[in-house]
Amino acid sequence: QQGAETISGLDSVTLIFTLSEQSNNFTLSDINASQGSLSNLSSTDSVVYRADYSTPSNYSGTITIGVDSESFTDQAGNPNTATSTTYSIDSARPEAAISVSDDLLNSSEQATITFNLTEPSTNFTQPDISILGGGSLSSFSSVSSLVYTVQYTPPSSTTGTVTISIDNGVFADLAGNGNVSSSISIIVDTEVPSIITYTSNDTDNILYNEQDLNFTVTFSEPMQSVTGSITTPSAIIENGYVIGTSSTSS
């Protein structure tokens, strides 16, 4: 057998088997492969044979291609001796595990997004990252050939989910295998809440002594905490007439 000792980033390669003598009964079934498959054995002179070898999918390791002894004979009927060759295979596709420093962002926050690759890559860049839902990326940085970071700034006046993703096949490992897709979601709320309705239990705009006044306020979105103040007017009465008002806040 002849050929490279490493098979990387390819779906199939051609293996060459060169016999020491002519043989008319060397067939595909005489060849063993520990991983992957062989097909299309052919020869023009009964000495040099070629076969297509299909690599196992998503595999990283070694495989052995061999021919057992007494599998075929020369033209005089003498059986062959055993032979084999070991190859390194890298058909495993890299993947980026995506994590985020903060998955709930308000209008004053940014998030650091980290990409941990399963294999080293030298061509993973910021344009490989897609955003669905708005916002922008900046400060793309390579911590190593396995780890990359980027800053995400959410869009203004937006409430919803933003997806950060890497599409299939946009970067490759060192063997040339294209990546598989991956994504992560972030909740963004950069919209300022507003008051939709405001009501109270008062029916006549007069607050009597020791009367409880209840307010109902409806906001445009759920609120974590609400604080406020109430201005209470007081009438100043002199000789039976209202002559002015004063107010206090609480």
Side-chain angles (χ1 to χ4, degrees):
Q1 300 169 82
Q2 299 174 348
E5 298 299 314
T6 301
I7 302 173
S8 301
L10 298 172
D11 291 330
S12 63
V13 294
T14 299
L15 298 181
I16 300 175
F17 302 82
T18 302
L19 311 186
S20 59
E21 298 181 60
Q22 284 186 324
S23 174
N24 294 322
N25 62 356
F26 179 54
T27 65
L28 196 63
S29 61
D30 298 330
I31 309 169
N32 304 311
S34 60
Q35 295 276 356
S37 61
L38 291 157
S39 61
N40 302 324
L41 182 70
S42 64
S43 177
T44 59
D45 59 6
S46 299
V47 174
V48 178
Y49 289 79
R50 287 174 170 81
D52 294 331
Y53 172 71
S54 298
T55 59
S57 62
N58 203 33
Y59 177 79
S60 181
T62 60
I63 59 100
T64 299
I65 306 292
V67 179
D68 293 336
S69 62
E70 300 184 358
S71 297
F72 66 93
T73 62
D74 60 16
Q75 292 183 341
N78 300 303
N80 69 287
T81 57
T83 183
S84 65
T85 300
T86 298
Y87 297 90
S88 295
I89 299 288
D90 183 1
S91 61
R93 301 181 64 186
E95 183 175 0
I98 309 174
S99 60
V100 62
S101 61
D102 188 352
D103 60 2
L104 177 58
L105 300 178
N106 61 35
S107 57
S108 63
E109 295 178 318
Q110 289 183 315
T112 299
I113 302 174
T114 301
F115 305 87
N116 287 279
L117 309 189
T118 55
E119 297 183 66
S121 174
T122 58
N123 66 345
F124 178 53
T125 60
Q126 183 173 315
D128 298 333
I129 308 167
S130 301
I131 305 174
L132 179 62
S136 61
L137 300 173
S138 61
S139 303
F140 182 82
S141 176
S142 172
V143 179
S144 69
S145 60
L146 286 171
V147 181
Y148 297 79
T149 62
V150 71
Q151 294 294 312
Y152 171 71
T153 301
S156 60
S157 302
T158 297
T159 300
T161 301
V162 172
T163 300
I164 308 296
S165 62
I166 300 174
D167 291 336
N168 187 63
V170 295
F171 71 91
D173 62 13
L174 301 182
N177 300 300
N179 69 288
V180 297
S181 60
S182 55
S183 64
I184 195 171
S185 295
I186 302 172
I187 303 298
V188 171
D189 185 357
T190 57
E191 187 173 359
V192 177
S194 60
I195 295 175
I196 298 177
T197 60
Y198 168 83
T199 60
S200 74
N201 64 338
D202 178 60
T203 59
D204 56 8
N205 294 325
I206 299 175
L207 184 61
Y208 298 96
N209 185 36
E210 296 184 357
Q211 178 184 351
D212 292 331
L213 188 61
N214 299 320
F215 297 95
T216 300
V217 181
T218 303
F219 292 93
S220 59
E221 58 182 300
M223 304 295 293
Q224 184 175 7
S225 61
V226 178
T227 60
S229 62
I230 300 174
T231 300
T232 307
S234 300
I236 301 174
I237 302 175
E238 184 177 307
N239 297 326
Y241 296 93
V242 177
I243 61 173
T245 61
S246 65
S247 64
T248 60
S249 296
S250 60

